[in-house]
């Protein structure tokens, strides 16, 4: 019955937004409260679940998205994104620009959290799209597929790293197997699948794209590239340095502090304010105006993601994930397939890839120990399942929809199917590897 209520709540959300033309944030609040009542959450605690879901979702994420939008806006307004886009197009040409963006997304996606990578790379995608008049979804999907795959499959991202610990897997071996599976998953879900969505009409968020500037007014390529990718460089350094120069005390605490995505983006904003702002002749007042406009551009996106967090928390507090797990763990299925299936169904019902992966891990762990399945492959199987069919209860769905300014139908047709392909190819790759390792 609980599963039926969850599915009804998701359907109601779609109806309110598409047919009722209701603001997505208001629709999320209405559905969260209604679903909470139907799922039996005590009347006095439903609002607490909503508040907790919003707070947990917007905690670090709000800082990351806001600072990322500020940096992206300055990169666009200064002409740095135009400079990078022009150089990339000259190097790879229109025929291979998708592949170039896909490889870029994969490289930066290994150290960067998905949301950080998204808000940093979207201005570059839009610059290519507007300058060369190319279809936005067709050009952008391969890069976002790369970011999604690294988020779900590869340590040091939170869910895979946590699963490595829970399953007593080996971090290095999991990463090696993960990259082996991730490459075909990204190619199939990116450049190949995006050919089917080439005709989707998209008007991306214009606030992140500045009008084209004359060549002589653009910053240099080195300045543009280093400033734009400074967060990536810093995160890679703060991840690798403890492995190369292990230490304790103040050194370890300092690296941990500097490695936090919020701190990295704050430092990047400070550097960009000088290199792409003051150094190019802009006043502090003009730069701050750019930052204020960036926040206005993404304010509603933050609220919509918060609404998705509220609905996710209501589902969690109702215990529906445990009910799903109790049904599935009795099925006579290979443990690797079962781990994927549990994560996939929880993902579809709850929305969060991280929650789906960690919930599935607790359920599958006893069975995994009894069956002696390869723990590294179980990490990847659960990680792949946790990416299955992102839709209206997932913040990533709304991030893509709102930035690319798409209808729900076109977002499902592009984003949701891309995530589904990634999940299915991931499972196939795990089963193939299981034959050999």
């Amino acid at each position: 019955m609980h599963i039926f209520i969850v599915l009804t709540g998701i359907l109601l959300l779609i109806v309110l937004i598409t047919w009722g033309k209701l603001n997505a944030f208001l629709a999320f609040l209405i559905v969260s409260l209604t679903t909470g009542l139907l799922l039996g959450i005590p009347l006095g605690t439903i609002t607490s679940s909503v508040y907790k879901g919003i707070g947990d979702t917007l905690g670090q994420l709000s800082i990351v998205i806001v600072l990322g939008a500020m940096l992206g806006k300055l990169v666009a307004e200064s002409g740095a994104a135009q400079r990078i886009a022009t150089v990339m197009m000259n190097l790879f040409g229109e025929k291979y620009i998708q592949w170039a963006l896909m490889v870029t997304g994969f490289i930066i996606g290994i150290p960067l959290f998905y949301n950080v990578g998204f808000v940093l790379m979207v201005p570059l995608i839009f610059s290519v799209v507007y300058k060369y008049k190319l279809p936005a979804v067709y050009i952008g999907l391969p890069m976002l597929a790369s970011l999604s795959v690294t988020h779900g499959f590869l340590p040091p991202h939170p869910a895979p790293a946590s699963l490595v610990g829970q399953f007593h897997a080996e971090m290095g071996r999991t990463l090696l197997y993960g990259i082996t599976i991730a490459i075909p998953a990204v190619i199939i879900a990116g450049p190949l699948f995006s050919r089917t969505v080439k005709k989707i009409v998209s008007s991306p968020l214009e606030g992140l794209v500045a009008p084209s500037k004359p060549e002589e007014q653009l910053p240099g390529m080195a300045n543009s590239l280093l400033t734009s990718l400074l967060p990536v460089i810093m995160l890679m350094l703060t991840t690798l340095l403890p492995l190369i120069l292990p230490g304790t005390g103040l050194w370890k605490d300092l690296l941990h502090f500097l490695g936090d995505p919020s701190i990295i983006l704050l430092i990047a904003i400070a550097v960009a304010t000088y290199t792409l702002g003051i150094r190019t002749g802009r006043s502090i007042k003009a730069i701050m105006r750019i930052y204020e406009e960036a926040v206005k551009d993404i304010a509603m996106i933050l609220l919509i993601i918060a609404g998705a967090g509220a609905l996710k928390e209501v589902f969690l507090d109702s215990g529906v994930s445990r009910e799903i797990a109790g049904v599935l763990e009795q099925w006579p299925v290979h443990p690797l397939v079962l781990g994927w299936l549990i994560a996939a169904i929880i993902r579809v019902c709850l929305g969060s890839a991280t929650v789906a992966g960690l919930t599935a891990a607790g359920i599958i762990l006893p069975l995994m120990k009894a069956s002696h399945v390869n723990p590294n492959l179980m990490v990847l199987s659960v990680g792949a399942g946790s990416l299955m069919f992102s839709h209206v209860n997932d913040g990533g769905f709304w991030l893509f929809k709102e930035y690319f300014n798409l209808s729900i139908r076109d977002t499902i047709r592009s984003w949701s199917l891309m995530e589904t392909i990634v999940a299915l190819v991931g499972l196939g790759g795990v089963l193939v590897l299981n034959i050999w390792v």
Side-chain angles (χ1 to χ4, degrees):
M1 186 62 186
H2 279 184
I3 297 171
F4 174 75
I5 292 170
V6 167
L7 296 176
T8 303
I10 291 169
L11 182 62
L12 175 61
L13 182 68
I14 294 171
V15 170
L16 287 175
I17 295 170
T18 55
W19 180 76
K21 306 299 180 187
L22 207 62
N23 174 273
F25 178 64
L26 294 177
F28 267 116
L29 290 181
I30 292 168
V31 172
S32 297
L33 296 171
T34 305
T35 308
L37 285 170
L38 293 174
L39 288 171
I41 297 178
L43 200 60
T45 60
I46 291 178
T47 51
S48 298
S49 295
V50 171
Y51 298 152
K52 184 176 186 301
I54 291 175
D56 288 353
T57 302
L58 285 187
Q60 184 191 50
L61 187 59
S62 59
I63 300 175
V64 166
I65 291 180
V66 168
L67 292 181
M70 287 179 174
L71 181 60
K73 183 81 170 178
L74 184 58
V75 166
E77 290 287 340
S78 67
Q82 183 183 333
R83 171 68 75 186
I84 296 170
T86 302
V87 171
M88 287 186 72
M89 187 60 79
N90 290 339
L91 282 173
F92 299 101
E94 184 177 329
K95 185 177 180 180
Y96 297 108
I97 190 65
Q98 271 189 313
W99 292 84
L101 290 171
M102 182 191 74
V103 172
T104 303
F106 193 82
I107 292 170
I108 70 158
I110 291 175
L112 281 184
F113 295 131
Y114 176 81
N115 295 312
V116 181
F118 185 100
V119 296
L120 288 180
M121 291 298 106
V122 159
L124 176 58
I125 294 170
F126 291 174
S127 291
V128 171
V129 165
Y130 274 92
K131 183 174 177 59
Y132 299 100
K133 296 179 173 56
L134 299 169
V137 175
Y138 170 71
I139 293 298
L141 211 57
M143 174 178 271
L144 301 181
S146 291
L147 293 175
S148 180
V149 165
T150 54
H151 170 74
F153 287 17
L154 306 181
H157 287 271
S162 176
L163 292 175
V164 165
Q166 290 189 53
F167 293 154
H168 302 292
E170 299 174 44
M171 187 76 77
R173 199 177 291 268
T174 301
L175 183 60
L176 179 62
Y177 293 164
I179 291 173
T180 304
I181 296 170
I183 291 171
V186 169
I187 291 172
I188 294 170
L192 297 183
F193 169 67
S194 65
R195 293 177 186 174
T196 67
V197 296
K198 198 170 184 178
K199 293 183 179 179
I200 288 181
V201 178
S202 168
S203 302
L205 202 62
E206 292 184 5
L208 292 178
V209 183
S212 292
K213 297 176 179 290
E215 186 75 15
E216 62 274 9
Q217 293 182 16
L218 299 178
M221 183 58 183
N223 183 13
S224 301
L225 201 59
L226 288 174
T227 303
S228 301
L229 295 182
L230 181 60
V232 182
I233 297 167
M234 285 187 62
L235 193 50
M236 290 182 72
L237 286 175
T238 52
T239 302
L240 293 174
L241 281 177
L243 303 176
I244 300 169
L245 304 168
T248 56
L250 183 61
W251 166 251
K252 184 178 179 181
D253 292 341
L254 180 63
L255 285 178
H256 181 73
F257 173 75
L258 293 176
D260 187 280
S262 301
I263 301 301
I264 284 174
L265 281 169
L266 192 59
I267 294 171
I269 285 285
V271 172
T273 299
Y274 173 73
T275 58
L276 297 179
I278 296 171
R279 189 176 170 187
T280 61
R282 282 183 170 84
S283 66
I284 287 291
K285 186 176 181 180
I287 298 168
M288 293 305 113
R289 193 178 300 115
I290 290 173
Y291 292 160
E292 288 169 11
E293 290 170 1
V295 176
K296 292 175 185 176
D297 291 337
I298 51 89
M300 186 49 66
I301 295 175
L302 279 174
L303 287 175
I304 292 170
I305 293 171
L311 184 59
K312 178 207 73 177
E313 191 64 34
V314 166
F315 288 161
L316 282 175
D317 290 350
S318 72
V320 71
S321 61
R322 292 189 297 274
E323 184 177 329
I324 295 167
V327 173
L328 291 178
E329 64 184 355
Q330 305 301 323
W331 287 13
V333 180
H334 189 285
L336 288 173
V337 178
L338 187 60
W340 181 91
L341 190 60
I342 292 173
I345 293 179
I346 294 173
R347 154 72 158 186
V348 172
C349 289
L350 302 188
S352 168
T354 302
V355 169
L358 298 181
T359 305
I363 297 160
I364 202 69
L365 187 59
L367 179 62
M368 192 191 83
K369 289 179 178 177
S371 60
H372 305 292
V373 70
N374 189 307
N376 305 294
L377 295 182
M378 184 59 82
V379 171
L380 298 174
S381 182
V382 171
S386 72
L387 297 177
M388 182 69 176
F389 195 69
S390 162
H391 61 97
V392 294
N393 61 355
D394 176 29
F397 176 93
W398 293 98
L399 203 61
F400 179 82
K401 178 191 178 299
E402 296 300 318
Y403 266 83
F404 282 77
N405 197 17
L406 297 170
S407 66
I408 285 184
R409 177 179 176 275
D410 283 339
T411 309
I412 290 174
R413 185 181 158 201
S414 54
W415 169 263
S416 301
L417 287 184
M418 179 272 287
E419 291 279 83
T420 301
I421 291 168
V422 163
L424 292 171
V425 174
L427 175 62
V430 166
L431 295 178
V432 169
L433 279 180
N434 189 50
I435 299 171
W436 302 102
V437 300

